């Protein structure tokens, strides 16, 4: 829906008088400041935003503290429950961490030409990479990227952080000449049971041929300006900027070059799409179940900008028990634009001390301002305020529209390529 159409509808209703609670809410639905500036007709007076109700989560903090991410970890024991000497045995301390890089020794028998690399990095040979060596590579090649971690199977993103590390291609090139390599796969710490392994994979191209100005897969050692804590996958974790969480393997310990052309990700075994990119989608915060009439209803949530970018967030309100005589249910669904969190202008207030936004991927290195808003693969908050609702039962839905004009859950309604179903919140005005 073009915003001008919406304003026509709103203006017309304004003059014919608000006859239903839905129309009343349309009049006061909060509009994005950009839309107001560009399109708002003079006759339509937009009321100032009311003070936000106590307990509102808008806007969500831009960065999530490392310990506050929602955790998605398998395995027994989970690494963050190991302590003392167990951590040393598991090579999960900064001193004992090692990364081994080898060629696939047990490919699928159908793969006739085995992968080989000139210089494997192994613990047995004393050549495995340690943390000081990775940090040393970082002095020259470090990348910094703001990314929301999102599980393919959980709607709301798990948290958002500033991740810093070394592009995977800088590490893999240390292995010298290679033959018969079509993919690389990698896994993190697990116990001796092979079934505990959590593994993911990339095509050779994705790992090695980062286009200029694009986002590389990287081995991250810092989160929000601090070493990555064990709970978030430290000392070193893979970060795949464009992908769902299952590609960003925590407690990374092994990378394997293979000539297998199939994505042999652990997640692929559960019908997930192992090659999906993050989807553009809006998610709703909780709303109190009962709201006293006369009090504005504050609707808010997060929106993540996926591969296809984000144009706007919209909501629609349905009255579940309309007054007799009103054409409820027959009315076409009206989607109204939500207000987006304003672009951050002073990034020094958001980023960790000592980090300039000029160094962060997705920012203009001259101005230090983001090249898109929201940043690609990041979340921002959105909100709308519903006022003048008559007592009754309501439901509200929200959706993101991508830069190609597809409204969620399109263009990829398959939930196994990333959960982006429309969310609903119900409440009663009494
Ligand atoms: N080694 C390992 N890495 C892992 C996982 C795991 O269980 N083990 N879970 C993955 C999944 S499915 C997700 S969604 C993210 C979650 O990251 P978080 O716990 O830091 O929020 O980690 C990924 N990396
Ligand atoms: Mo996940």
């Amino acid at each position: 829906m073009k915003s001008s159409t919406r304003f026509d509808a709103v203006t017309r209703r304004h003059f014919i008088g608000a006859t239903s609670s839905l129309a009343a809410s349309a009049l006061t639905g909060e509009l994005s400041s950009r839309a107001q500036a560009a399109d708002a007709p003079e006759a339509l007076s937009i009321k100032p935003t009311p003070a936000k109700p106590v307990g509102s989560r808008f806007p969500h903090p831009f960065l999530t503290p490392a310990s506050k991410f929602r955790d998605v970890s398998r395995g027994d024991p989970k690494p963050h429950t190991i302590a003392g000497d167990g951590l040393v045995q598991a090579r999960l301390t900064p001193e004992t961490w090692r990364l081994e890089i080898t060629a696939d020794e047990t490919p699928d028998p159908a793969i006739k030409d085995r992968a080989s690399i000139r210089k494997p990095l192994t613990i047995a040979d004393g050549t495995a990479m340690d943390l000081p060596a990775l940090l040393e590579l970082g002095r020259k090649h470090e990348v910094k990227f703001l990314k929301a971690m999102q599980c393919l199977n959980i709607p709301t993103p798990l948290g958002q952080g500033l991740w810093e590390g070394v592009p995977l291609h800088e590490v893999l090139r240390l292995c010298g000449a290679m033959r018969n390599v079509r993919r690389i796969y990698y896994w993190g710490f697990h116990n001796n049971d092979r079934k505990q392994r959590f593994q993911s994979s990339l095509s050779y191209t994705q790992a090695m041929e980062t286009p200029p100005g694009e986002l590389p897969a990287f081995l991250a050692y810092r989160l929000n300006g601090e070493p990555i804590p064990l709970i978030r996958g430290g000392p070193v974790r893979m970060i795949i900027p464009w992908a769902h969480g299952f590609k960003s393997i925590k407690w990374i310990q092994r990378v394997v070059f293979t000539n297998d052309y199939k994505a042999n990700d652990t997640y692929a075994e559960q019908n997930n799409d192992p090659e999906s990119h993050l989807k553009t989608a809006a998610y709703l915060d909780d709303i109190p179940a009962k709201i006293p009439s006369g009090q504005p209803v504050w609707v808010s949530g997060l929106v993540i900008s996926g591969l296809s970018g984000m144009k706007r967030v919209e909501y629609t309100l349905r009255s579940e028990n309309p007054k007799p005589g009103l054409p409820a249910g027959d009315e076409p669904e009206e989607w109204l634009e939500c207000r987006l969190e304003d672009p951050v202008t002073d990034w020094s207030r958001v980023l960790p001390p000592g980090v300039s936004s000029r160094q962060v991927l997705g920012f203009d290195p001259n101005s230090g301002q983001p090249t898109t808003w929201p940043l690609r693969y990041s979340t921002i908050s959105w909100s709308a305020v519903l006022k003048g609702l008559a007592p009754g039962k309501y439901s509200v839905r929200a959706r993101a529209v991508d830069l190609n004009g597809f409204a969620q859950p399109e263009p990829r309604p398959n939930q196994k390529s990333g959960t982006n179903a429309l969310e609903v919140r119900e409440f009663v005005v009494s």
Side-chain angles (χ1 to χ4, degrees), residues 72 150-153 245-246 267:
V72 181
Q150 186 176 30
C151 183
L152 186 142
N153 289 310
F246 71 91
Y267 249 40

Side-chain angles (χ1 to χ4, degrees), residues 119-134:
K119 284 185 277 179
L121 307 184
T122 64
I123 290 172
D125 294 353
T127 50
M129 173 165 272
D130 59 14
L131 191 54
L134 187 64

Side-chain angles (χ1 to χ4, degrees), residues 164-185:
E164 299 174 68
V166 177
L168 182 60
H169 55 77
E170 292 301 336
V171 176
L172 298 187
R173 77 195 305 177
L174 302 176
C175 298
M178 61 190 81
R179 297 186 59 187
N180 294 320
V181 174
R182 284 186 278 182
R183 287 191 81 77
I184 66 127
Y185 62 97

Side-chain angles (χ1 to χ4, degrees), residues 207-287:
M208 297 299 288
E209 294 168 29
T210 309
E214 275 298 324
L215 312 165
F218 62 102
L219 289 160
Y221 44 65
R222 231 180 272 126
L223 169 58
N224 296 342
E226 306 278 339
I228 303 178
L230 197 56
I231 178 91
R232 281 284 70 68
V236 180
R237 167 181 197 163
M238 189 73 85
I239 290 290
I240 309 298
W242 60 86
H244 290 94
F246 71 91
K247 292 266 183 200
S248 293
I249 294 292
K250 296 184 274 197
W251 315 291
I252 185 89
Q253 291 190 326
R254 175 66 77 90
V255 175
V256 179
F257 287 90
T258 184
N259 199 23
D260 197 336
Y261 52 88
K262 293 184 287 300
N264 55 4
D265 298 48
T266 299
Y267 249 40
E269 290 153 18
Q270 286 145 37
N271 192 33
N272 302 300
D273 173 358
E275 283 306 327
S276 69
H277 279 61
L278 285 169
K279 288 175 167 179
T280 296
Y283 301 100
L284 276 157
D285 294 334
D286 289 337
I287 298 178

